[in-house]
């Protein structure tokens, strides 16, 4: 059993368990590491001072029992300054950057405006409309496709992956969160054929670009745990591709409640092995207090 998780939400953002509940649960499961990763994005951001105080108090309380890390889940289009206030950053794309990507062809996968775009999300330039993410609801996903792409979900997916290609350059994130989140509702909506090259090509271009930069990807169990999807993020096709590109992985539950802190870990370990991986990675505090990445052979977890 894998006994570490680095994608953990609490009542300080959109979770239903407190940080203290999560830490208690991690200890009861025999975890060696627990990383908190509250949301910082255009529609869901925390009081950073409160968050840091609560997690730092837990780090003190549990010192010597469990290694607690403080991170954030930061959206590609949101303010990168928050990454400097924590120990690690999940680089996630919830908001396709419809304003910045318009007319962008994707060649070279560089931001068309040098990465200086504001967190527009689905807002117009006057900021009068709420931002639209790909994972809030099927209705919002449909609205994104209709409003910006004439109802063409393949164009929306292309924009999504072009935004995601910028995540490491913008955030210098520790790992990539839920690579193909745009498929969150696809098992019910069936708006994308996930084997169609119109969908897979831009996704693979983004994956190759990010893997080349050396940033690991998480296997995210969140949607499987909540019964929303049959497959993890990334799906098995992309996970095999990542392995073939020489990419690295972490396995995370994206838990929003203590009961799911290690949800589907055994299945994810088996999935990683089936896709060719021999090890996963965890984050640890070293002797000097700095956070570093450590490799963990999968055969020790089965
Ligand atoms: Zn997320
Ligand atoms: Zn999350």
């Amino acid at each position: 059993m894998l006994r570490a998780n680095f994608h953990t939400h609490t009542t300080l953002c959109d979770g239903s368990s407190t940080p203290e509940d999560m830490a208690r649960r991690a200890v009861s499961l025999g975890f060696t590491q627990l990383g908190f990763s509250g949301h910082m994005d255009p529609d869901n951001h925390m009081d950073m001072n409160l968050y840091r105080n609560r997690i730092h108090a837990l780090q003190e309380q549990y010192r010597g029992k469990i290694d607690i890390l403080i991170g954030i889940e930061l959206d590609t289009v949101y303010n990168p300054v928050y990454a400097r206030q924590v120990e690690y950053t999940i680089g996630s794309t919830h908001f396709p950057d419809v304003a910045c990507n318009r007319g962008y062809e994707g060649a070279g996968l560089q931001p068309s405006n040098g990465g200086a775009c504001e967190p527009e999300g689905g807002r117009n330039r006057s900021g009068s409309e709420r931002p639209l993410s790909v994972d809030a609801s099927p209705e919002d996903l449909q609205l994104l496709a209709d409003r910006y792409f004439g109802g063409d979900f393949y164009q929306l997916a292309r924009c999504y992956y072009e935004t995601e290609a910028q995540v490491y350059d913008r955030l210098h994130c520790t790992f990539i969160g839920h690579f193909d989140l745009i498929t969150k509702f696809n098992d019910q909506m069936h708006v994308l054929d996930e084997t169609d090259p119109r969908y897979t090509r831009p996704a693979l271009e983004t994956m190759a670009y990010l893997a080349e930069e050396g940033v690991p990807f998480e296997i995210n169990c969140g949607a499987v745990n909540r019964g929303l999807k049959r497959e993890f993020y990334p799906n098995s096709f992309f996970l095999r591709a990542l392995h073939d590109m020489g990419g690295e992985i972490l396995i995370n539950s994206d838990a929003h409640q203590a009961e799911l802190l290690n949800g589907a870990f055994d299945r994810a370990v088996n999935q990683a092995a089936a896709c060719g991986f021999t090890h996963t990675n965890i984050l640890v505090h070293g002797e000097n207090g700095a956070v570093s990445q450590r490799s963990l052979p999968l055969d020790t977890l089965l």
Side-chain angles (χ1 to χ4, degrees):
M1 167 68 83
L2 175 64
R3 291 189 170 84
N5 184 55
F6 303 94
H7 196 150
T8 313
H9 297 288
T10 70
T11 46
L12 299 183
C13 54
D14 60 348
S16 56
S17 299
T18 63
E20 294 74 19
D21 287 341
M22 286 293 191
R24 263 193 298 276
R25 173 75 175 154
V27 169
S28 77
L29 290 168
F31 271 30
T32 51
Q33 271 78 27
L34 174 64
F36 288 96
S37 60
H39 281 290
M40 292 302 272
D41 64 37
D43 73 342
N44 189 357
H45 43 258
M46 303 178 295
D47 176 335
M48 274 301 270
N49 282 335
L50 176 66
Y51 177 62
R52 283 160 45 126
N53 288 341
R54 292 276 286 275
I55 307 306
H56 286 154
L58 287 172
Q59 286 178 320
E60 287 305 316
Q61 184 184 339
Y62 285 97
R63 192 172 298 282
K65 281 195 186 132
I66 179 174
D67 187 13
I68 292 181
L69 296 85
I70 178 165
I72 51 168
E73 180 177 9
L74 186 53
D75 192 274
T76 310
V77 299
Y78 206 47
N79 193 337
V81 75
Y82 296 113
R84 294 198 281 274
Q85 300 175 21
V86 290
E87 294 176 318
Y88 73 94
T89 302
I90 306 176
S92 289
T93 304
H94 310 93
F95 297 86
D97 201 339
V98 289
C100 289
N101 276 288
R102 191 163 293 154
Y104 166 54
E105 292 303 320
L109 293 170
Q110 291 297 319
S112 53
N113 63 351
C117 50
E118 288 301 307
E120 292 286 333
R123 238 174 297 170
N124 61 26
R125 283 290 179 191
S126 67
S128 61
E129 291 177 23
R130 69 186 171 85
L132 293 171
S133 72
V134 298
D135 65 320
S137 67
E139 292 73 26
D140 274 14
L141 188 68
Q142 185 72 53
L143 205 52
L144 261 174
D146 289 345
R147 185 179 291 169
Y148 298 100
F149 302 96
D152 185 337
F153 281 88
Y154 292 94
Q155 288 290 336
L156 167 58
R158 182 177 181 79
C159 173
Y160 177 82
Y161 286 112
E162 286 173 354
T163 306
E164 187 166 25
Q166 301 166 27
V167 65
Y168 185 74
D169 292 335
R170 286 182 53 76
L171 306 179
H172 298 288
C173 49
T174 315
F175 60 90
I176 306 295
H178 43 58
F179 173 71
D180 45 356
L181 182 70
I182 191 161
T183 63
K184 178 173 177 178
F185 303 115
N186 205 40
D187 285 2
Q188 59 186 94
M189 293 173 77
H190 304 290
V191 288
L192 290 165
D193 173 353
E194 294 177 47
T195 66
D196 189 316
R198 286 178 297 164
Y199 173 71
T200 56
R201 197 177 300 124
L204 288 170
E205 281 176 15
T206 288
M207 176 171 272
Y209 182 75
L210 294 171
E212 177 76 16
E213 292 190 294
V215 59
F217 290 58
E218 70 170 357
I219 296 179
N220 181 306
C221 307
V224 168
N225 279 332
R226 283 179 274 179
L228 287 166
K229 268 175 69 73
R230 283 171 289 120
E231 288 227 50
F232 298 117
Y233 308 113
N235 69 22
S236 53
F237 171 78
F238 290 135
L239 200 54
R240 275 194 195 91
L242 181 66
H243 171 264
D244 294 347
M245 291 171 191
E248 291 285 334
I249 53 165
L250 289 85
I251 294 171
N252 291 316
S253 61
D254 197 352
H256 288 67
Q257 59 190 95
E259 295 74 24
L260 294 177
L261 194 55
N262 64 343
F265 272 4
D266 285 345
R267 214 183 116 190
V269 168
N270 279 304
Q271 173 77 326
C275 290
F277 289 92
T278 56
H279 66 271
T280 183
N281 294 280
I282 56 171
L283 305 176
V284 300
H285 279 113
E287 298 268 304
N288 58 2
V291 168
S292 61
Q293 188 176 309
R294 182 178 295 169
S295 167
L296 212 56
L298 288 178
D299 58 14
T300 65
L301 305 173
L302 292 170

